[in-house]
Amino acid sequence: MTLALTIPTTTKTFEKRPWRHPRLGGLWLAALAVLAVAVACEGEQRARDASAPPSLQTSEISVRFDVAPQKAPMMSVLAFHATVSGVVQRDVLGIVDPLAAAAPERDCELRDLDLSASALVAQGGSIELQELGGVGLALGSSSPATVTPGAASAAGTPTLGALATGTIIRPFPRLFPDVATVVGGVVAEAGPMPLGELPDHIGLLTPASELPVEQLAVPAAPRITSVNGAPLIAGAKVDGRDGLTIGVSGDPGTIVELRPFGATVAISCAVPQGTAGESTLIVPRALVARLSGAASPAGTVTALPASLDALSRTRVRTAPFAVASHLSIEVRASTAVELGP
């Protein structure tokens, strides 16, 4: 049996609620006040692409699955149409949702969100957001699943106790807070919502079609197997004084991120590929020291609660709308750790 979960896409009043990651807490209040920027491992800021067009239109549908051991997977959706000036298309989603920022091509980078707002203002850039109404996302699987009715989600969206395959999710419009007067408008979002299991694929529906116009496979969940030679467990103390050696199991393109809670800095790393999906990632000592220094209160040297994430992404261009659009899926496995001084 297929259960459709339909959310109205028009409303007279929009609730102010930023796009959130369920485990990052205060980071989002800070992250919505700034934009994403990358600083290379050697300390040199990457040059902006001089070919950025003066103006363009794009649409983004982004699906995120958060997974953790012994917890139900959570699903979040963000969809919007954007009129953009001074920003290349591939960077738009990462500016609206900093967790979706592109990984470095190789090695590791330190990202500081505080550095970017003034740069975008100085360049006269802007992103005007509009709700991408009428889209739906169908959870697909090769195996049947059962459905258990439940209460409303935290977003006010009627949900199931654990959403099952065959469910259709329709994002709901929300007002996106203005960021430095250059990013603002309305987005559509849904979740976080619990799932019974990760679906095999996601189907994209439009107002003009009751059948998926695009289907995209959900990546396998990656995982961090060890840190500095020890198995990774929730709450583990991670000593970064000599850098970090991280064992990772995942498909090609796996990314590792280390994000202190409540801070606007993070380390993002592209995982080198080893044999049989097993890889070893080296995070330089100097980069960990810069992260700890930037995230710690002035004059203090303390352990930092942080999230150590392994994630996989897939993205395709779709053509059901009048402008260029993309459907993106991310599977993020997060573990709370304590980054030692």
Side-chain angles (χ1 to χ4, degrees), residues 51-58 82-89 92 124-126 128:
S51 64
S55 181
L56 62 87
Q57 291 187 330
T58 185
T83 301
V84 179
S85 175
V87 181
V88 294
Q89 187 181 55
V92 173
S126 66
E128 181 182 347

Side-chain angles (χ1 to χ4, degrees), residues 77-312:
V77 181
L78 175 68
F80 60 85
H81 175 79
T83 301
V84 179
S85 175
V87 181
V88 294
Q89 187 181 55
R90 66 175 178 270
D91 293 336
V92 173
L93 178 60
I95 291 175
V96 177
D97 174 13
L99 279 183
E105 294 182 1
R106 61 188 301 271
D107 299 329
C108 299
E109 292 179 346
L110 179 67
R111 291 181 171 152
D112 189 343
L113 304 178
D114 281 334
L115 300 179
S116 60
S118 57
L120 192 60
V121 171
Q123 295 174 13
S126 66
I127 299 177
E128 181 182 347
L129 302 171
Q130 301 173 7
E131 174 204 353
L132 190 61
V135 299
L137 295 160
L139 309 186
S141 176
S142 57
S143 60
T146 59
V147 179
T148 303
S153 72
T157 301
T159 69
L160 305 174
L163 296 181
T165 54
T167 301
I168 296 176
I169 308 297
R170 294 197 182 273
F172 192 80
R174 301 288 183 184
L175 184 64
F176 189 91
D178 288 340
V179 179
T181 72
V182 294
V183 182
V186 177
V187 298
E189 64 176 1
M193 300 167 288
L195 302 173
E197 61 181 356
L198 282 181
D200 292 339
H201 59 273
I202 292 290
L204 174 62
L205 290 77
T206 68
S209 174
E210 295 183 357
L211 297 176
V213 296
E214 186 74 53
Q215 293 196 89
L216 186 58
V218 175
R223 63 188 182 95
I224 295 175
T225 57
S226 64
V227 179
N228 295 339
L232 177 63
I233 59 175
K237 186 171 183 178
V238 176
D239 187 351
R241 288 175 295 182
D242 295 322
L244 298 173
T245 302
I246 302 175
V248 185
S249 176
D251 294 334
T254 298
I255 304 163
V256 167
E257 295 180 347
L258 179 60
R259 299 178 174 274
F261 292 119
T264 60
V265 288
I267 291 175
S268 179
C269 301
V271 177
Q273 289 305 307
T275 59
E278 297 288 340
S279 303
T280 299
L281 172 69
I282 304 298
V283 184
R285 174 178 59 184
L287 200 62
V288 178
R290 288 171 56 196
L291 176 73
S292 299
S296 300
T300 65
V301 180
T302 59
L304 295 172
S307 181
L308 184 56
D309 302 350
L311 54 140
S312 293

Side-chain angles (χ1 to χ4, degrees), residues 70-81:
Q70 300 178 341
K71 291 185 179 180
M74 303 294 289
M75 176 182 177
S76 301
V77 181
L78 175 68
F80 60 85
H81 175 79

